[in-house]
Amino acid sequence: MSPTERECVVWQNTQAKDEVHQVLFWEWSKSEAFVFEKMGNGTVRMHALHGSGSGNGITLEVVASKGKAKGGVSFGAWSATGASDDTTYEFRNLEDAQEWADWYVLYEHADKSVADFDDTYNCYYGDCSRKPDMEEITRFPWVPNPEPGVYSLPITDSLAGEGWKERLDALESVRADEPDHKVIHVAEASTQKSTVSFGLWFTVKQTGGGKVSDGLGGQQDKYEAGGGTKAEVSVVTETSLEERKVMTDGKYFTTFTTDSTMGGQIMLAMSGLPMLKGKLGGGVGGGDSTTESSAISVLWNADGTVDHIMFRTSTTTLEKWSEEAGGSVQVGYGPFEVFNAGGYKTWGGADGTQSMVEVTIPMDGLTEEAREMLQGNAEKLFPRDEDGTLDKDAAIDFGKDWSSTYAGDILDEISEAGGARSLEYDVDQEQEGSKASVRVAPIKLWSSTWSEVDTEKTLTSSSLQYIDVNGDSRTVDPAPKCRAQTKDTSGADYYDAGGSDPVTSSHPDGEGYYRDRSVTPVG
C-alpha cells in the first residue's frame, strides 16, 4: 500500500483584510481574503474567502509609570463563534487567476452598488416602497411639462425603480464578462474559537527628550514613540473548532486546532505513527517570534462515514518589525494610568520560516477492524447529537492515553497507509492598519482595529517518509505531490461554462442579485 498524500502548495500569496470591534464585553469581526496558490501539478488555485464572527469576553490592562520608565501588564479571555464562505477556483496559470481577480474587483463594486440601493429603497425582496431622497432625485433628468420651456420634477414613485434597473443592468453586464475559471468546490464553515492572552511591556524614555516624526507629517515626543529601551513579552493560547461543509459533493471537514504544546503532543500520540512523534517531539527555538500549531482534521462522507483523518503540526519562526504613529490622551492617578483614549496608524512586516509535518490516513485499503477503530475514535473526538449537529462544547480528552488504542497489526496498517510529509517554507509578510481604543482603569471600554496583511510563502524543501510493506522506513525527496509536474489543462472543456456567481460581502443570504429574482419589475 502506498501512502496517501494531499495536494502540495509550492507557493502561496494571501491578501487579507480584517476588522475587529469591541465594546465592553462584546466583540464582532469581519474578514475577507484572496489566497493564490501554485500547486505541485502546475495549476494555480485561488480561494475567495468571506467571514464574520461575534463573541464575548474581557480585556484588562494596568499601566503605570515612574520617572522615565513606563510599563503595563494585560490579560484577555474571549470566546467567539463565526461563519465563512469559501469558493476555490483553479486556473491554468497565474495570469488567468489574476485576470479573474481583477474582474472580481469590478463585480464586487457593482454588487455593492446594488446592495446599497436595496438597503435604502427596499427593492429586491420588496417593491422599492421607500421613497428616494432629494440627492437621488437630482441624478435623474427632469420631466418636460406640457407648457413650453417648463420642466417638472419626476414622479418620485418611479425614481427608485429606475435607479434599481440602472444598477441591476450594470451588475448583469459585469457578471456576463466573467473571465475563464474552474470551480473546484464551494464550502461553508462555522467556527468556535477561544483565546487567552497575557502580555507584559515597558519602555524607558530616551535621554534628552525632544521630538521625532510621527510618520504622518507631524511631531511627537520620543517617549510617546517608544524611543529608548523597549521590551515586550506576550503569550497567546488559542483553540478553535471548525465544521466546513463542501457544498459540491456533500462531504465535510471537522477540524480542531490548538497552539498549546500539550495539545500538540496529544495529537501526535493520536496519530499512532512513531515516525511522526519522533520528528516533532521538540520545538524550534530562536527568532523574534515562534508559534506552534497542531490540528486534527476528519473528512466525513455525506453518509457520516470517515473518508480520511489528517494530523498536522507546524512551527513558524519570524523576525518581526513594526511601527506606529498617532497619539493618546492619558490621565494618571499616582503612578497608575486611569484613563487612556487614542488612535494610531500601524505598519510592519516579518520574514522567517515555517516547518510543517502532516500525516493523512485514508480509510480505503484498511481492514474492517482498523476502519471501525478509526471511525469510533473520530466520533468520540467530534460527537454529534441525534440530528447530526456537531457538539461544539465537546473537547478532546487530554487525559486519555490515545496511543494505547493503536496496537499490533492495526498500528502496522496505519503506519503503512499514512506517511509523514515534511514541508519547509520561506515566509515574507507586510501589513498596515489602524487602531483606536478607550480604556478606563484596567477595563477596555471600546476598541477597533483595521488591518491589511499580505503574506507570501515559498516552498524550499519537501520529503515524504513512510513504512513500506516490508516494515522498512522509506523517504522520498522531494515529496511526490510537490514535484514539478504538469497537469493537462489544454482541453477546450477545462474551464467551466457560464458564470460562477461568486459570493461577496453584500450578497443577501449568500446569494447574488439577479433581475429575474427581484420583486420590483425592471422591464
Side-chain angles (χ1 to χ4, degrees):
M1 181 186 299
S2 60
T4 297
E5 185 185 1
R6 293 166 59 88
E7 293 295 335
C8 180
V9 177
V10 299
W11 175 87
Q12 182 186 82
N13 175 246
T14 302
Q15 302 166 15
K17 294 182 179 180
D18 296 277
E19 57 181 79
V20 181
H21 307 281
Q22 175 200 336
V23 175
L24 277 177
F25 313 119
W26 294 271
E27 180 182 90
W28 59 97
S29 62
K30 179 181 178 181
S31 62
E32 298 182 2
F34 277 135
V35 183
F36 295 90
E37 296 176 331
K38 288 182 180 179
M39 312 304 293
N41 61 15
T43 61
V44 174
R45 290 188 179 180
M46 192 200 72
H47 305 264
L49 307 169
H50 298 269
S52 61
S54 61
N56 54 73
I58 189 170
T59 298
L60 303 174
E61 183 176 16
V62 177
V63 178
S65 60
K66 185 175 182 180
K68 299 176 181 179
K70 182 177 182 179
V73 58
S74 63
F75 169 80
W78 289 88
S79 176
T81 58
S84 62
D85 299 293
D86 170 13
T87 303
T88 301
Y89 296 83
E90 185 176 276
F91 301 90
R92 287 191 175 106
N93 50 55
L94 192 58
E95 290 74 21
D96 286 0
Q98 188 62 57
E99 181 182 1
W100 189 94
D102 292 341
W103 166 86
Y104 179 84
V105 174
L106 300 177
Y107 171 74
E108 185 169 40
H109 178 76
D111 188 70
K112 187 177 187 305
S113 175
V114 173
D116 289 346
F117 197 89
D118 179 44
D119 288 343
T120 303
Y121 305 120
N122 190 32
C123 294
Y124 196 56
Y125 293 132
D127 56 358
C128 290
S129 55
R130 291 194 287 270
K131 299 296 186 296
D133 54 26
M134 288 304 297
E135 180 181 356
E136 188 64 33
I137 288 175
T138 59
R139 300 180 186 179
F140 294 89
W142 288 51
V143 179
N145 192 284
E147 293 185 39
V150 178
Y151 288 82
S152 305
L153 281 171
I155 300 172
T156 57
D157 287 349
S158 66
L159 283 181
E162 290 299 318
W164 180 241
K165 179 180 183 299
E166 176 185 320
R167 285 158 178 76
L168 278 181
D169 285 346
L171 177 60
E172 292 283 0
S173 177
V174 175
R175 182 184 281 123
D177 290 336
E178 183 174 359
D180 288 336
H181 60 275
K182 184 180 184 65
V183 176
I184 298 299
H185 68 245
V186 178
E188 296 177 350
S190 60
T191 305
Q192 181 166 308
K193 182 169 65 176
S194 298
T195 304
V196 177
S197 62
F198 172 79
L200 179 66
W201 62 271
F202 75 88
T203 60
V204 179
K205 186 190 294 188
Q206 189 169 348
T207 303
K211 300 283 187 178
V212 295
S213 170
D214 63 3
L216 298 174
Q219 298 284 314
Q220 63 181 346
D221 292 334
K222 286 182 178 180
Y223 178 67
E224 187 66 30
T229 303
K230 183 176 182 179
E232 181 177 3
V233 177
S234 63
V235 178
V236 179
T237 298
E238 184 174 280
T239 61
S240 67
L241 178 62
E242 179 184 78
E243 180 92 315
R244 184 169 177 268
K245 185 173 183 179
V246 181
M247 313 304 291
T248 44
D249 58 12
K251 294 184 177 181
Y252 49 100
F253 283 94
T254 310
T255 302
F256 179 81
T257 305
T258 178
D259 57 10
S260 72
T261 303
M262 179 177 65
Q265 296 302 316
I266 294 296
M267 288 187 190
L268 297 179
M270 286 179 181
S271 72
L273 299 177
M275 72 176 80
L276 177 61
K277 288 185 280 187
K279 235 177 221 304
L280 295 181
V284 177
D288 183 60
S289 174
T290 299
T291 57
E292 307 277 349
S293 177
S294 301
I296 177 171
S297 296
V298 177
L299 175 61
W300 310 80
N301 296 309
D303 62 1
T305 58
V306 174
D307 184 279
H308 71 253
I309 300 175
M310 189 186 81
F311 300 87
R312 182 185 69 250
T313 66
S314 67
T315 300
T316 304
T317 303
L318 299 175
E319 294 286 348
K320 296 182 178 181
W321 65 271
S322 63
E323 295 182 14
E324 62 181 32
S328 62
V329 176
Q330 304 147 13
V331 177
Y333 183 78
F336 296 100
E337 189 176 89
V338 296
F339 177 84
N340 184 299
Y344 294 86
K345 180 176 176 59
T346 62
W347 56 94
D351 60 81
T353 60
Q354 182 181 64
S355 302
M356 183 182 301
V357 178
E358 56 188 27
V359 169
T360 302
I361 303 174
M363 300 293 273
D364 291 343
L366 296 179
T367 62
E368 183 67 25
E369 183 182 7
R371 287 200 301 271
E372 289 180 356
M373 186 200 69
L374 290 173
Q375 177 81 30
N377 279 353
E379 292 174 352
K380 291 176 182 177
L381 282 172
F382 303 112
R384 300 177 181 276
D385 60 22
E386 296 179 355
D387 298 327
T389 303
L390 180 67
D391 181 3
K392 293 186 178 180
D393 292 327
I396 291 179
D397 182 3
F398 290 104
K400 179 178 178 179
D401 182 8
W402 286 89
S403 60
S404 65
T405 63
Y406 303 90
D409 295 338
I410 292 180
L411 178 58
D412 293 339
E413 274 193 76
I414 294 174
S415 296
E416 292 174 10
R421 185 171 72 176
S422 300
L423 304 170
E424 298 282 340
Y425 291 93
D426 282 342
V427 181
D428 185 68
Q429 186 179 88
E430 294 182 358
Q431 63 182 43
E432 63 178 38
S434 56
K435 60 183 181 179
S437 64
V438 174
R439 177 172 49 80
V440 175
I443 300 177
K444 186 176 289 186
L445 300 183
W446 165 78
S447 69
S448 290
T449 61
W450 299 264
S451 64
E452 296 185 17
V453 182
D454 192 309
T455 305
E456 184 172 314
K457 292 170 50 177
T458 303
L459 184 69
T460 56
S461 67
S462 67
S463 63
L464 178 67
Q465 184 181 1
Y466 66 98
I467 307 297
D468 66 15
V469 293
N470 298 317
D472 298 325
S473 176
R474 302 279 185 178
T475 300
V476 182
D477 186 355
K481 291 283 188 179
C482 300
R483 294 173 181 172
Q485 305 174 25
T486 302
K487 179 180 179 180
D488 185 10
T489 61
S490 60
D493 60 348
Y494 170 71
Y495 283 128
D496 297 338
S500 64
D501 188 22
V503 172
T504 75
S505 57
S506 302
H507 279 177
D509 305 324
E511 296 182 0
Y513 291 103
Y514 284 88
R515 290 167 58 96
D516 58 359
R517 301 177 193 174
S518 173
V519 172
T520 299
V522 291

